[in-house]
Amino acid sequence: MANRKTKPRTENRERQAIYAMQAEICRVLGHPRRLQILDLLADGEKSTAQLLRELDANKVNLSQHLALLKRAGLVETLHRGRETSYRLSFPEIKDACRLIREVLGARLRQGSRLVRSLERGAAGSSLAS
């Protein structure tokens, strides 16, 4: 009997741990500059110098963003002599960013329809007078 009670608790703890890890990835993705970095890396490996140039960012700021992305397991560092490059840790990261953009597009389209509907409705509304 104890085994049956333990199993759901263990599964719940495991699920909670997974949700916590997902939340950490989402938190790291929650900054426009980090999304921009991932977008650039989706095209392939980039050196620090290339990222600095393409982002028009300062080195300290870029370094902080890259450290967060690396800690979250989203990017990997490659060292070649004195040059450091970065790449996506998993190709699925590119898919995840694309999916988020698709959701954003659907949300914006829905919002546009609502605005048009509101504008049409406001013209005939007694509140518009």
Side-chain angles (χ1 to χ4, degrees):
M1 190 84 166
N3 190 24
R4 287 185 182 181
K5 288 185 178 182
T6 305
K7 189 175 179 183
R9 284 188 201 152
T10 302
E11 287 175 1
N12 189 40
R13 271 190 245 123
E14 290 170 354
R15 235 181 290 134
Q16 292 304 316
I18 290 169
Y19 289 144
M21 289 186 284
Q22 281 181 292
E24 176 60 18
I25 289 171
C26 289
R27 184 187 69 76
V28 171
L29 291 175
H31 192 283
R33 179 64 83 184
R34 290 191 285 272
L35 290 173
Q36 190 177 11
I37 292 168
L38 292 175
D39 193 44
L40 289 171
L41 295 178
D43 293 334
E45 179 183 317
K46 303 263 188 219
S47 70
T48 305
Q50 287 174 301
L51 289 171
L52 285 168
R53 200 171 35 257
E54 291 187 44
L55 293 167
D56 193 29
N58 69 57
K59 194 171 184 176
V60 172
N61 186 261
L62 177 62
S63 177
Q64 290 170 342
H65 286 301
L66 287 167
L68 284 170
L69 289 165
K70 187 175 176 184
R71 197 168 29 247
L74 301 177
V75 300
E76 296 176 337
T77 308
L78 299 112
H79 298 283
R80 291 188 189 94
R82 294 179 60 188
E83 186 176 87
T84 302
S85 293
Y86 295 87
R87 68 178 176 205
L88 296 180
S89 297
F90 307 98
E92 293 85 356
I93 295 166
K94 185 177 180 176
D95 298 334
C97 290
R98 180 189 45 75
L99 185 59
I100 291 168
R101 264 195 220 104
E102 287 176 11
V103 169
L104 173 61
R107 182 176 159 210
L108 291 172
R109 285 188 299 279
Q110 181 184 34
S112 295
R113 283 192 300 273
L114 291 173
V115 167
R116 285 192 301 272
S117 177
L118 180 64
E119 288 170 347
R120 282 191 303 269
S125 170
S126 61
L127 295 176
S129 310

